Amino acid sequence: MTVIDETAGAPAPATTTAPLLDVRDLHVEFRTRDGVARAVNGVSYSVEAGETLAVLGESGSGKSVTAQAIMGILDMPPGSIPHGEILFHGQDMLTMSGEQRRKIRGRKIAMIFQDALSSLNPVLSVGYQLGEMYRVHEGLSRKDAKAKAIELMDRVRIPGARQRVGDYPHQFSGGMRQRIMIAMALALEPELIIADEPTTALDVTVQAQVMDLLAELQREFNMGLILITHDLGVVADVADKIAVMYAGRIVETSPVHDIYRRPAHPYTKGLLRSIPRLDQKGQELYAIQGLPPNLLHVPSGCAFNPRCPMAQDICRTDVPELHTVGAGRGSACHFWKETLGE
Ligand SMILES: Nc1ncnc2c1ncn2[C@@H]1O[C@H](COP(=O)(O)OP(=O)(O)OP(=O)(O)O)[C@@H](O)[C@H]1O
Ligand code: SF4
Ligand SMILES: [Mg+2]
């Protein structure tokens, strides 16, 4: 709970027990010409230092919008946050002063996006852009900032960093550009990194290299990491826990290994069945039937009910709560016991 110091009108000092990031009952909606789209509908998750939370779900489930709310980069309007808390070390970023927020976002929380080419400035060298972090935030001279830029490029294993520091973004391959994005995010030694589909635009072998690098740096710096992806396959080796989103809600949350062994939600089961497996080569890949819902017309009851092979009458009328179904595990399904096979 956030404790407000009424005399100062500012959040009280953080307690040592508060998680690094604690998102509570977050709601985000967008006003559109056709009505209000509830893109995030009561999402809660937390991340500790040194921990990786993978956020999974199909396109449009609210993964990026949640991240944008944390980073403070939501389009407002049309977006708004009618309810919720985003606590960083126990302090709510939604109610703190603009100055306090600026000290956290970009500095203590950094973000890596999918598309490095559109995130980097095409007319400035990568060395200049990396060095800018130090010139602007830490007041370093051009020369010192350049030395830091080379150090960072070495850290993310860009071969020949010293020779390449003056090159422009388009002179690097996709994988190398994504390493530069990771370097930018690391520059100010953040406590939390949010990586939104950081490897989606890369081919498979490069994906694995970039993901390994990110996981290694996260461990080395003891950072929290929120890894957003629609690929359950990539997270098994890097995540500690998983939150599965569907239509703006978390439908399952679990330590990583439990979810692979025994999913507690039919949607997660479907996602797991859709991962290509080597022992099923040549067989047709399973796909969850139907499409994710239009957020302006979310089905009543459980939003997954039109696509769910286990749906019963109650699923069309009652929204399932996120039930506790085991240690650190939750499932928003009326039939979680049956899903677990209990
Ligand atoms: N600026 C905006 N205006 C209106 N609707 C928006 C806006 N940004 C996001 N949305 C809507 O919010 C919903 C959630 O979007 P979000 O980008 O979080 O999905 P996602 O889970 O990240 O999907 P993807 O896997 O495709 O990246 C979508 O239906 C999207 O259309
Ligand atoms: S609540 Fe019903 S429709 Fe929703 S996932 Fe569970 S069984 Fe399927
Ligand atoms: Mg997204």
Side-chain angles (χ1 to χ4, degrees), residues 76-116:
M76 299 213 282
S80 65
I81 302 179
H83 189 78
E85 292 174 309
I86 302 176
L87 309 175
F88 188 72
H89 286 297
Q91 299 197 341
D92 188 0
M93 291 197 285
L94 295 177
T95 55
M96 64 178 52
S97 70
E99 193 191 344
Q100 276 179 306
R101 259 199 304 266
R102 276 191 294 279
K103 283 189 184 151
I104 296 176
R105 288 171 171 159
R107 199 168 239 286
K108 300 198 168 181
I109 308 180
M111 193 150 175
I112 302 169
F113 299 93
Q114 174 181 329
D115 183 2

Side-chain angles (χ1 to χ4, degrees), residues 44-46 53-54 241-245 250-256 258-259 264-265 268 322-323 325-332:
S44 301
Y45 59 54
S46 66
L53 164 73
K241 59 186 187 184
I242 291 188
V244 181
M245 288 189 68
I250 291 184
V251 293
E252 177 159 8
T253 174
S254 170
V256 70
D258 297 344
I259 214 166
H265 195 283
T268 317
L322 193 66
H323 305 277
V325 302
R329 302 200 64 182
S331 165

Side-chain angles (χ1 to χ4, degrees), residues 4-301:
I4 304 293
D5 175 351
E6 286 177 357
T7 49
T15 59
T16 48
T17 52
L20 177 61
L21 180 81
D22 194 6
V23 176
R24 294 189 181 175
D25 199 21
L26 184 71
H27 292 249
V28 180
E29 51 189 43
F30 292 98
R31 256 165 220 291
T32 71
R33 258 185 314 179
D34 303 315
V36 176
R38 295 198 168 78
V40 178
N41 212 344
V43 162
S44 301
Y45 59 54
S46 66
V47 191
E48 304 284 356
E51 188 176 49
T52 297
L53 164 73
V55 181
L56 278 138
E58 286 164 302
S59 196
S61 55
K63 307 180 298 292
S64 296
V65 168
T66 308
Q68 287 158 8
I70 297 168
M71 256 336 254
I73 52 170
L74 262 183
D75 268 342
M76 299 213 282
S80 65
I81 302 179
H83 189 78
E85 292 174 309
I86 302 176
L87 309 175
F88 188 72
H89 286 297
Q91 299 197 341
D92 188 0
M93 291 197 285
L94 295 177
T95 55
M96 64 178 52
S97 70
E99 193 191 344
Q100 276 179 306
R101 259 199 304 266
R102 276 191 294 279
K103 283 189 184 151
I104 296 176
R105 288 171 171 159
R107 199 168 239 286
K108 300 198 168 181
I109 308 180
M111 193 150 175
I112 302 169
F113 299 93
Q114 174 181 329
D115 183 2
L117 205 51
S118 62
S119 308
L120 291 165
N121 188 330
V123 298
L124 297 173
S125 72
V126 299
Y128 185 89
Q129 293 180 67
L130 284 168
E132 196 170 28
M133 306 290 287
Y134 295 104
R135 288 193 305 277
V136 171
H137 291 278
E138 304 199 336
L140 291 196
S141 68
R142 266 186 104 113
K143 188 164 161 252
D144 291 345
K146 184 176 168 191
K148 282 277 198 187
I150 294 170
E151 203 181 301
L152 269 178
M153 288 169 74
D154 273 334
R155 264 232 123 103
V156 295
R157 298 205 211 98
I158 293 177
R162 191 168 294 278
Q163 292 75 46
R164 301 212 63 187
V165 67
D167 286 357
Y168 293 87
H170 72 269
Q171 293 174 284
F172 291 84
S173 67
M176 288 298 151
R177 274 199 294 269
Q178 207 54 330
R179 285 168 192 262
I180 291 162
M181 291 306 296
I182 294 174
M184 296 265 252
L186 285 176
L188 303 175
E189 299 190 8
E191 295 178 51
L192 176 71
I193 289 200
I194 305 176
D196 192 351
E197 311 266 6
T199 61
T200 306
L202 309 174
D203 58 42
V204 179
T205 40
V206 182
Q207 268 186 11
Q209 289 162 3
V210 171
M211 194 57 76
D212 287 348
L213 174 73
L214 189 58
E216 184 190 313
L217 292 166
Q218 181 251 340
R219 276 194 298 274
E220 190 184 322
F221 288 84
N222 197 36
M223 295 178 296
L225 174 64
I226 299 178
L227 180 61
I228 299 172
T229 172
H230 22 275
D231 188 353
L232 248 173
V234 305
V235 297
D237 298 329
V238 292
D240 298 297
K241 59 186 187 184
I242 291 188
V244 181
M245 288 189 68
Y246 190 79
R249 293 175 194 265
I250 291 184
V251 293
E252 177 159 8
T253 174
S254 170
V256 70
H257 294 297
D258 297 344
I259 214 166
Y260 285 88
R261 276 199 296 266
R262 285 175 79 213
H265 195 283
Y267 178 59
T268 317
K269 253 189 170 166
L271 289 179
L272 283 168
R273 282 187 65 194
S274 356
I275 303 177
R277 282 177 25 191
L278 286 175
D279 59 348
Q280 288 177 337
K281 235 177 170 178
Q283 289 181 31
E284 206 173 314
L285 199 58
Y286 175 83
I288 301 171
Q289 57 160 339
L291 293 171
N294 174 343
L295 290 181
L296 295 171
H297 307 284
V298 176
S300 58

